[in-house]
Amino acid sequence: MNKRKFIGLILLMVISLGGIIWVQVTWIGNAIKVRNDQFDFFVINSLRNTARSLESSRRMNFLNEMLVNGYPVSPQLQHQGNMQGSFSGSLTIESSSASDQDSVEIVVATNNNPPVRMKVARDAAGATVQQEVVIGSDEYRQWMQRRAGEFQSMSNQLITEMFVWEKELAIDREELNRTLKSELMASGIETPFEFAVIRGDTLSDGIWSKVKEKEFKSSPYQVTLFSEGLLRKGETVAVVFPNKTNYVLGSIALILGGSGLFSLIILSTFALSLWFIISQKKISEMKSDFINNMTHEFKTPIATISLAADTITNNKVISDEEKVRHFAGMIKKENARMNRQVESILQIATLDKHEVEFDFSETDMHNVIIRAIETVEIQVTERGGVIRRHLDAERSIIAGDAEHLRNVIHNLLDNANKYSENTPEITVLTSSDDRGVIIVVEDKGKGMTRAVQNRVFERFYRETTGNIHNVKGFGLGLNYAKAITEAHGGNISVESEPGKGSRFSLFLPFNGNARA
C-alpha cells in the first residue's frame, strides 16, 4: 500500500468515526432534552393539580362548616327582626348549570344596594315557583319585597364570614408536602424535592435543607395558591429538585450506557485497526529492508567465492600450491560466513515456532564469554581496538545452553564493534548475586537515542540515518539475544546516550528453565 492510499484510508476511517460519534452525541442530547421537557411538563402539571386540590379542599371545608351544618345568623340581624332563628338549606355560591334542577338563581335588588345573585332551593323560593322565576312579574316583585331583607342579610353575613376565613387562612405544611408528593408520584416523578411558600419577597414556610433562598425564587417550578382569592393573592409555592440532573440522566441510563459502550467498541475497533495497519506497514517495510540487506550480505561472500574459484582454475595459479591454499581458505572463510548468516535466520524461525531444542547443562559463563571474545577479538584488533574483561562473578556456573549463550554474547560484542565509529573500546564485566549472574557489555560507540532504545530489541529493526543503514546486518542479533535470554528465565536491558556509547546488561538465573 503506497503512502497516499494509506493516508486516504486513515482519513476515511477518521471521518466515519467522527460522523458516528457526532450522530451519537446529537441523539443523546436530543434524548436528554426530551426527558427534561417531559420532566418540566409533569412537574408544572403536578403543581397546578396541587394548587387546585388545596383550593377545593378549603372550599369544601368552608361549605360543609357554614352551609351544610347550618349558617349562623349574626345578633345584629336578629335584633332587626328581618330573620328569626337560623337558615338552613342547600345554599351555594357556585354558578347554576343546566343540570342543576334542585335550585334556581335569585337576583336580589334593593334601592340602596347593588343586585345580589344567589342560588336557593326551589322549595325555599315558594310553592308557586316550580320550574322558573319570571323576572318582572307582579307576583315575583311582591315576593322579592318580602324576601329582599332576608337575602341581603344572608349575603352580608356570608361575605363577612368569607372575609374572615380568607384572611385567617393558613397553609398546612405537611398537607402541602403530602399533596405535592402524591401528585408527583402520580406523574411518575420520584426524585427528592424541597419546597417553599413565597409571600412577597420572603420565604414564609416550606421544607428545605440543601436549597438556598435564591434558588427557590429563580425556580421554574412555581404555582400561585388561591389565585381567585381577594386577600391571599401573591402566595407562591416554589419547588426545587436537587438531584434533577442525576434523575433525568438515570431515566435514560440504559440508553446512555448502551450508546457509550457501542461507541467505545467502535472507537476501540478503529484504534486496533489503525494499529494493525501501521504495524503491518512497518513489518512490510522491515521485511523489505531485511531482504535487501540479506541480498547484500549474501552477495558479497558469493562474489568472493566465485572470484576465488575462477582464480584457482587459472593455469598460472593452479600449479602454485601456496596460492591454491590461500584462495581455498578464502572460499572456506566466506562459506562459513554465509553459514552463520543462514543459521541466524533459521534460529529466529525456530524460535517463532517454539521448536528450539536447548541442551541445558552446567555452563560456566566465564568460559562462554572467553570463547565469544575469541571470535570477535580479531576484528576489533584489526581496527586497533581492545576488548577488556573483568570477570569478577564469584559464581559463574548456571544451568543453560552453552552454544546459544555464546551466540548471545557474540552478538553483543559484534554490535559493540560495528557501532564504534572510532577505535573500538569494549569492556565485559561479570558479577553475581543470590539469584544469578549479571553480564555487562559496554562500548564507547555512537550510542542511541531513547526512541531507538525502545525498539532496539524488535525483529528486523535497525537504526538508520535518513534512509540509509550505515551498518549492514539483518536486524536479528539483539532480537535473538532477547529471545534466548528470556528462554533461560533471564532478561536483557540497555542504557545509552548519543555519543557516549551503550551498556547492555544481561541477567541469567542459576537455575533457569527454557520457555521456548
Side-chain angles (χ1 to χ4, degrees):
M1 182 183 294
N2 60 42
K3 187 175 181 180
R4 292 182 63 183
K5 290 182 179 179
F6 178 75
I7 294 175
L9 176 62
I10 298 301
L11 185 60
L12 287 175
M13 294 176 69
V14 170
I15 292 174
S16 300
L17 181 63
I20 292 172
I21 293 176
W22 177 79
V23 170
Q24 289 283 351
V25 171
T26 302
W27 182 81
I28 290 173
N30 290 336
I32 293 175
K33 183 178 182 300
V34 169
R35 292 290 177 150
N36 274 315
D37 292 343
Q38 290 178 347
F39 184 89
D40 293 347
F41 172 79
F42 287 131
V43 170
I44 294 297
N45 190 56
S46 298
L47 285 174
R48 290 172 179 170
N49 290 340
T50 298
R52 284 195 293 267
S53 178
L54 291 176
E55 291 172 4
S56 298
S57 175
R58 290 297 187 274
R59 286 197 179 99
M60 289 302 297
N61 291 339
F62 176 76
L63 293 176
N64 289 334
E65 180 179 350
M66 298 298 178
L67 302 177
V68 176
N69 296 329
Y71 193 96
V73 180
S74 65
Q76 182 180 4
L77 292 179
Q78 292 179 358
H79 178 73
Q80 293 176 354
N82 292 327
M83 182 175 181
Q84 301 294 329
S86 62
F87 174 84
S88 62
S90 301
L91 181 61
T92 67
I93 58 173
E94 302 292 334
S95 300
S96 62
S97 62
S99 62
D100 190 356
Q101 301 297 324
D102 296 328
S103 61
V104 294
E105 186 179 71
I106 302 299
V107 179
V108 180
T110 62
N111 295 330
N112 300 323
N113 296 285
V116 177
R117 304 177 68 90
M118 300 186 67
K119 260 175 67 175
V120 299
R122 292 183 181 276
D123 295 340
T128 58
V129 182
Q130 297 296 328
Q131 297 296 327
E132 63 182 2
V133 177
V134 182
I135 300 175
S137 66
D138 293 338
E139 184 180 4
Y140 172 75
R141 283 196 296 271
Q142 292 174 5
W143 182 84
M144 285 296 296
Q145 289 175 359
R146 293 194 305 267
R147 306 292 286 179
E150 180 181 344
F151 290 141
Q152 181 65 40
S153 299
M154 289 196 315
S155 175
N156 292 338
Q157 182 67 17
L158 180 60
I159 293 173
T160 301
E161 296 294 343
M162 290 185 67
F163 173 84
V164 174
W165 169 74
E166 187 173 320
K167 184 177 181 181
E168 297 178 355
L169 180 64
I171 298 175
D172 188 339
R173 179 195 307 171
E174 295 301 328
E175 180 185 4
L176 179 56
N177 183 40
R178 286 194 303 271
T179 307
L180 272 173
K181 186 177 295 185
S182 176
E183 292 292 342
L184 290 172
M185 290 185 67
S187 299
I189 299 175
E190 299 180 1
T191 183
F193 65 91
E194 296 183 358
F195 69 92
V197 178
I198 303 175
R199 183 176 296 171
D201 291 330
T202 60
L203 306 185
S204 62
D205 201 356
I207 298 177
W208 70 88
S209 59
K210 300 178 182 179
V211 182
K212 297 181 180 179
E213 180 176 350
K214 62 180 181 180
E215 294 181 66
F216 282 117
K217 293 181 177 180
S218 61
S219 173
Y221 311 121
Q222 297 186 14
V223 67
T224 301
L225 292 178
F226 312 114
S227 58
E228 297 179 359
L230 299 174
L231 304 175
R232 299 299 295 246
K233 288 183 178 179
E235 282 189 333
T236 303
V237 174
V239 180
V240 174
F241 299 88
N243 301 323
K244 175 190 172 182
T245 301
N246 294 336
Y247 177 77
V248 172
L249 294 178
S251 65
I252 55 174
L254 184 61
I255 298 176
L256 288 176
S259 176
L261 176 62
F262 285 111
S263 296
L264 182 61
I265 291 174
I266 293 172
L267 184 62
S268 301
T269 303
F270 169 77
L272 285 174
S273 300
L274 185 61
W275 183 80
F276 283 136
I277 291 172
I278 294 174
S279 298
Q280 290 299 318
K281 185 174 183 295
K282 288 182 179 179
I283 291 174
S284 177
E285 291 174 352
M286 287 190 293
K287 285 184 176 180
S288 298
D289 189 38
F290 166 73
I291 292 173
N292 292 335
N293 290 329
M294 183 177 66
T295 302
H296 177 81
E297 292 291 333
F298 284 167
K299 186 176 181 179
T300 300
I302 289 173
T304 302
I305 291 172
S306 177
L307 179 62
D310 290 341
T311 303
I312 289 176
T313 58
N314 187 283
N315 292 330
K316 294 181 180 181
V317 176
I318 198 171
S319 60
D320 190 336
E321 183 178 353
E322 183 178 351
K323 289 184 178 180
V324 170
R325 289 180 180 276
H326 171 73
F327 286 112
M330 185 182 296
I331 292 173
K332 185 176 181 181
K333 180 180 178 182
E334 293 299 322
N335 183 66
R337 177 182 173 186
M338 288 183 63
N339 282 335
R340 287 196 302 270
Q341 292 170 344
V342 172
E343 186 66 24
S344 297
I345 298 171
L346 292 177
Q347 285 172 345
I348 293 297
T350 54
L351 282 174
D352 276 348
K353 298 179 180 179
H354 301 284
E355 296 176 352
V356 177
E357 295 183 1
F358 289 93
D359 181 15
F360 277 79
S361 60
E362 289 190 356
T363 302
D364 189 338
M365 286 307 301
H366 285 171
N367 292 336
V368 170
I369 293 171
I370 291 171
R371 288 176 56 199
I373 290 176
E374 290 173 354
T375 61
V376 180
E377 195 166 25
I378 296 175
Q379 302 172 21
V380 175
T381 303
E382 287 178 352
R383 297 181 60 192
V386 62
I387 300 178
R388 300 184 180 91
R389 63 188 78 177
H390 300 279
L391 309 181
D392 302 326
E394 295 181 0
R395 296 176 58 188
S396 60
I397 298 176
I398 68 168
D401 186 302
E403 189 62 27
H404 282 293
L405 292 174
R406 185 188 68 80
N407 290 337
V408 170
I409 303 301
H410 172 84
N411 288 341
L412 295 178
L413 293 172
D414 186 52
N415 277 353
N417 177 45
K418 289 192 296 185
Y419 288 96
S420 294
E421 296 177 336
N422 301 318
T423 302
E425 293 185 38
I426 304 171
T427 304
V428 181
L429 307 96
T430 65
S431 61
S432 61
D433 56 21
D434 295 337
R435 298 179 299 126
V437 179
I438 301 168
I439 304 168
V440 177
V441 178
E442 293 181 339
D443 65 68
K444 295 184 179 179
K446 60 188 238 179
M448 296 177 257
T449 63
R450 177 66 64 181
V452 174
Q453 293 178 52
N454 292 335
R455 300 190 58 193
V456 74
F457 294 106
E458 293 180 10
R459 184 170 306 175
F460 304 128
Y461 178 79
R462 296 170 62 245
E463 184 180 6
T464 61
T465 303
N467 293 323
I468 301 174
H469 292 290
N470 296 326
V471 179
K472 294 300 178 181
F474 296 148
L476 298 174
L478 291 178
N479 179 262
Y480 170 81
K482 183 175 185 292
I484 296 299
T485 302
E486 292 179 348
H488 282 74
N491 58 73
I492 186 171
S493 61
V494 61
E495 299 175 12
S496 181
E497 290 185 29
K500 295 184 179 181
S502 302
R503 175 188 176 96
F504 287 87
S505 299
L506 183 71
F507 171 77
L508 295 169
F510 291 123
N511 298 312
N513 294 316
R515 295 200 298 258

